[in-house]
Amino acid sequence: MYTKPRKPAWLSRAYPDRRRAESIKQPPLTATAAPLECRGKDIIHRQRGLEELGVMDPRRLKGHKATATYCIASHDRPGLVVTAGEDGCVCWFDLRCKDAQLIMEVGTEPVSSLCFKPGNENFLYVSSGKDVKCFDVHLGNSWKPLESYSYNKEEINQVACNLKSTFLAAADDGGDIKIIDTNQKCLYKTLRSGHSSICSTVQFLPWRPWEVITGGLDSKLVMWDFSKGRPLKIVDFGSPNLKNSSNTSSQCFNPAYVHSIAVPEIDMLEKSEKVCAVGRGDGVVDVINIEAEVSFARSKTSAKPRKGSQSTLKETTETADCDIQRLHLDYSMGGHTAAVSCVAFSTFGERGKFIVSSGNDKSVKFWDWFKYLDQGRTSNEHDLLHLNINLTKKVNWLCTTPADSENLVICDTTKVVKVYSAS
């Protein structure tokens, strides 16, 4: 009897039907998207430099019995990495040791997402199917959850916890985001009507305690005030009126689905701006200034008279987004030639210096976006690609560690987690 294989994390977000996804071939590049080796000696030199640094020989972490789907790295304990898999297990690795230190059997369904409880990383939130569970690592091999939340009606794609550990967000396939009060252990708010399709990714804004940002397979990025349960701003990457949207003639033909978003941590804000990195299905990584976007939306809505409680959401969505400057990292700059599966801000060296992106083109790229900030946005954007790592498999998820070596952790479409050294 044939058993349909479980979908990797990126496929469950991008394509509800795995067989359809595997039959889709990447479109040929347009004339403006020549192969990377043809775009200048500087990029070729960086690629060759990677081989000289030996980053193509990863360390292999074994513990999962099926595809690894997600990974996070500890802030408090350098070298601690936690991974999730389609086998329903969570593996704890100490990079100072050879084997997995702990293997948690969460359940029979694939684990789609993980996050530590900020301030106490002994507690781990895990999403599996429609449930979110909280575990205490100190309980040893008795993996009974301390808390369990079943508020989502569809499969959860990502969970995130706010800086004060008071709220948890869970984004699901129905397009809803459940905000859970972890102190009262109850549902606080349901965010809906922002997405018309799967909500694939969610993050709290550490500098705005009542705001959260989400992305979905409707090509929309939504900034929410979750205390009021309504959007503050919607960016539609599929809109033909949006500058650098996926409808431009020089872009890949894949839809601009939002697969992953990342925001800088609070201690990165001294150097970086209050931005959001967006990994899109058309291979683009966008860097969006959240404060400018929200201020622009508020100025437009406040300038128009309101009648009773009539919503101004449509006005907010359809404002002239092209007037706001955004950093647009695409394949013409050496970027991805297929969907971007994950984006993250680097935590090693100068924290937040690099935006790290991975894609279905089997590559990981390091973007030196601080160079863009240092030169007052006048930097040649073709010089922002710092490193390119070519892999043999598509990437489900990645994270970075604070160490000088073994600082890039990759979950690809195999059960073995890879650890690279990058600088």
Side-chain angles (χ1 to χ4, degrees):
M1 181 173 141
Y2 172 76
T3 302
K4 184 178 178 181
R6 295 187 184 277
K7 296 177 290 184
W10 74 268
L11 278 181
S12 66
R13 296 184 181 115
Y15 306 104
D17 189 315
R18 176 174 181 162
R19 288 169 294 181
R20 173 176 175 266
E22 291 176 342
S23 67
I24 295 176
K25 296 183 179 179
Q26 292 299 330
L29 300 180
T30 60
T32 59
L36 186 60
E37 291 79 7
C38 301
R39 293 200 204 106
K41 296 181 179 179
D42 55 338
I43 295 178
I44 294 175
H45 175 73
R46 292 190 186 96
Q47 280 194 300
R48 290 175 179 168
L50 285 175
E51 296 176 0
E52 293 170 3
L53 290 172
V55 296
M56 301 309 290
D57 185 19
R59 177 178 174 182
R60 300 162 68 87
L61 304 180
K62 298 180 180 180
H64 289 289
K65 299 176 182 178
T67 301
T69 56
Y70 206 90
C71 56
I72 55 176
S74 170
H75 297 135
D76 301 336
R77 291 169 284 188
L80 176 64
V81 173
V82 185
T83 64
E86 291 186 351
D87 53 3
C89 293
V90 173
C91 295
W92 295 68
F93 295 96
D94 185 337
L95 296 183
R96 298 171 299 178
C97 305
K98 180 179 179 181
D99 301 319
Q101 301 300 295
L102 290 171
I103 299 179
M104 300 168 49
E105 295 182 358
V106 175
T108 57
E109 294 189 84
V111 178
S112 58
S113 178
L114 306 166
C115 71
F116 286 118
K117 181 178 182 179
N120 189 348
E121 293 185 350
N122 292 320
F123 293 90
L124 180 73
Y125 290 104
V126 177
S127 65
S128 178
K130 302 176 184 178
D131 301 327
V132 181
K133 301 175 183 179
C134 179
F135 295 91
D136 183 353
V137 69
H138 283 155
L139 293 181
N141 293 326
S142 177
W143 299 121
K144 183 178 180 180
L146 297 178
E147 306 165 16
S148 184
Y149 304 105
S150 302
Y151 298 117
N152 293 79
K153 296 181 180 179
E154 302 290 342
E155 183 177 345
I156 298 170
N157 293 308
Q158 191 173 27
V159 290
C161 194
N162 73 335
L163 185 62
K164 295 182 178 180
S165 304
T166 52
F167 291 104
L168 188 72
D172 66 30
D173 279 356
D176 290 349
I177 304 94
K178 301 294 183 178
I179 305 296
I180 300 166
D181 186 328
T182 56
N183 288 335
Q184 301 297 322
K185 296 179 174 50
C186 64
L187 180 66
Y188 176 78
K189 197 83 68 174
T190 296
L191 308 180
R192 57 167 55 100
S193 302
H195 292 287
S196 59
S197 183
I198 293 172
C199 183
S200 52
T201 180
V202 59
Q203 292 293 329
F204 285 94
L205 300 182
W207 60 89
R208 285 179 172 264
W210 293 101
E211 294 182 17
V212 71
I213 187 165
T214 61
L217 301 197
D218 51 4
S219 301
K220 291 179 181 177
L221 183 76
V222 184
M223 306 171 198
W224 302 83
D225 180 342
F226 68 84
S227 67
K228 299 178 181 178
R230 67 187 186 195
L232 296 173
K233 168 75 176 183
I234 297 178
V235 179
D236 186 356
F237 292 110
S239 170
N241 298 322
L242 184 67
K243 185 179 180 181
N244 291 327
S245 74
S246 61
N247 292 287
T248 57
S249 60
S250 63
Q251 186 55 56
C252 288
F253 300 115
N254 294 0
Y257 296 151
V258 179
H259 292 297
S260 173
I261 56 178
V263 295
E265 297 174 18
I266 197 71
D267 61 346
M268 298 178 182
L269 296 180
E270 183 177 349
K271 180 63 183 290
S272 72
E273 293 182 344
K274 296 175 180 178
V275 300
C276 173
V278 182
R280 294 168 28 177
D282 54 2
V284 173
V285 176
D286 268 323
V287 184
I288 293 179
N289 188 314
I290 293 176
E291 298 302 301
E293 299 281 348
V294 173
S295 297
F296 185 79
R298 284 173 172 166
S299 67
K300 288 294 182 180
T301 54
S302 62
K304 298 177 180 294
R306 296 187 180 184
K307 296 181 180 180
S309 59
Q310 183 177 358
S311 173
T312 59
L313 178 59
K314 185 175 180 181
E315 297 167 358
T316 303
T317 306
E318 296 179 351
T319 51
D321 287 325
C322 58
D323 294 336
I324 301 177
Q325 186 177 13
R326 297 171 180 150
L327 179 57
H328 188 76
L329 307 171
D330 63 13
Y331 56 70
S332 68
M333 301 160 58
H336 294 283
T337 58
V340 177
S341 57
C342 184
V343 289
F345 287 90
S346 61
T347 57
F348 57 84
E350 188 176 4
R351 290 172 57 81
K353 176 180 175 64
F354 300 113
I355 293 174
V356 188
S357 61
S358 62
N360 293 345
D361 55 359
K362 305 176 185 178
S363 71
V364 174
K365 300 181 185 293
F366 286 70
W367 303 94
D368 187 356
W369 82 290
F370 275 11
K371 183 186 295 186
Y372 177 76
L373 295 177
D374 291 340
Q375 300 183 16
R377 299 175 178 79
T378 60
S379 171
N380 182 355
E381 294 182 354
H382 290 269
D383 292 334
L384 299 185
L385 181 61
H386 177 71
L387 291 177
N388 179 73
I389 302 177
N390 293 315
L391 308 173
T392 59
K393 302 289 183 180
K394 296 178 181 179
V395 179
N396 283 331
W397 207 256
L398 64 78
C399 67
T400 63
T401 74
D404 293 331
S405 62
E406 295 190 338
N407 48 22
L408 174 64
V409 183
I410 292 177
C411 293
D412 58 25
T413 54
T414 70
K415 62 184 179 182
V416 179
V417 179
K418 280 79 172 180
V419 183
Y420 293 81
S421 295
S423 60

